[in-house]
Amino acid sequence: MEQDEAPRLTVVEPGQGREAPLGTIGVVFKLFGADTHEQLSIVEHPFPVGALVPPHIHTREDEYSIVLEGEIGFRSGERQAVLGAGGYITKPRNELHTMWNAGKVAARMIEIISPAGFEHFFWGLADHLEAGPPDAELIEKLAADFGLQFAEAPWLPDIISRYNLTPPR
């Protein structure tokens, strides 16, 4: 398919898409790069109460999040926000960021990833976690293959304490 052709029609009905655990949060796969000329991919992330995504840096893609349910906290660089349903936020590449359930009920968000490709990290991680206990070396290699870097964040203990979160392992 040439780049100037329209992507093929892809229909994802409500409730469709592989759902899998990613550790502290979940993932539901909606649109892959193959559906969008590799321009973007879309996943949904359910956030149980107390969920915290370890601080990390994407070196290849930007993320755009839309909160669907509950309240989700975001920290990207020096900016921090807690958004309820209908809130939008951008998380630029090469900037340390994290997300967490900031409320007392389960939360959910849509994640738009541009350019596409990182959805395959989620797929590989989901496969690995569904197969058995996490293997830190395998996860580290998978992250490196997708340009994902985990990092220490001096502000993380405050967020964990303030929102009564489960610390990352």
Side-chain angles (χ1 to χ4, degrees):
M1 178 183 306
E2 291 192 29
Q3 192 65 22
D4 58 350
E5 292 180 39
R8 65 184 169 83
L9 176 65
T10 302
V11 176
V12 181
E13 295 286 343
Q16 285 186 329
R18 176 189 179 196
E19 186 163 357
L22 292 180
T24 59
I25 65 170
V27 65
V28 183
F29 296 92
K30 297 298 183 177
L31 292 177
F32 291 84
D35 301 318
T36 67
H37 283 303
E38 303 301 324
Q39 297 299 302
L40 60 89
S41 59
I42 299 177
V43 298
E44 288 184 20
H45 289 302
F47 278 70
V49 174
L52 168 68
V53 175
H56 60 281
I57 298 167
H58 296 272
T59 61
R60 301 178 185 162
E61 55 277 319
D62 303 306
E63 294 180 309
Y64 308 90
S65 302
I66 306 162
V67 178
L68 299 175
E69 302 170 355
E71 292 181 303
I72 298 179
F74 299 89
R75 170 90 188 218
S76 188
E78 297 302 316
R79 299 171 311 280
Q80 186 169 311
V82 173
L83 299 174
Y88 289 65
I89 194 166
T90 62
K91 298 179 310 260
R93 71 186 77 190
N94 296 317
E95 190 168 86
L96 182 64
H97 66 276
T98 189
M99 299 152 290
W100 64 92
N101 184 325
K104 304 218 182 299
V105 299
R108 187 176 203 83
M109 73 178 202
I110 292 173
E111 189 89 275
I112 301 167
I113 305 163
S114 177
F118 194 74
E119 70 275 19
H120 299 292
F121 168 81
F122 290 139
W123 191 274
L125 181 59
D127 282 350
H128 171 67
L129 294 175
E130 286 177 342
D135 176 333
E137 284 184 26
L138 190 142
I139 293 171
E140 187 175 305
K141 180 185 180 328
L142 184 63
D145 288 348
F146 286 92
L148 179 68
Q149 302 167 355
F150 294 99
E152 295 293 319
W155 37 259
L156 190 60
D158 178 59
I159 290 172
I160 291 170
S161 173
R162 235 180 326 138
Y163 293 96
N164 195 29
L165 302 173
T166 304
R169 296 176 215 156

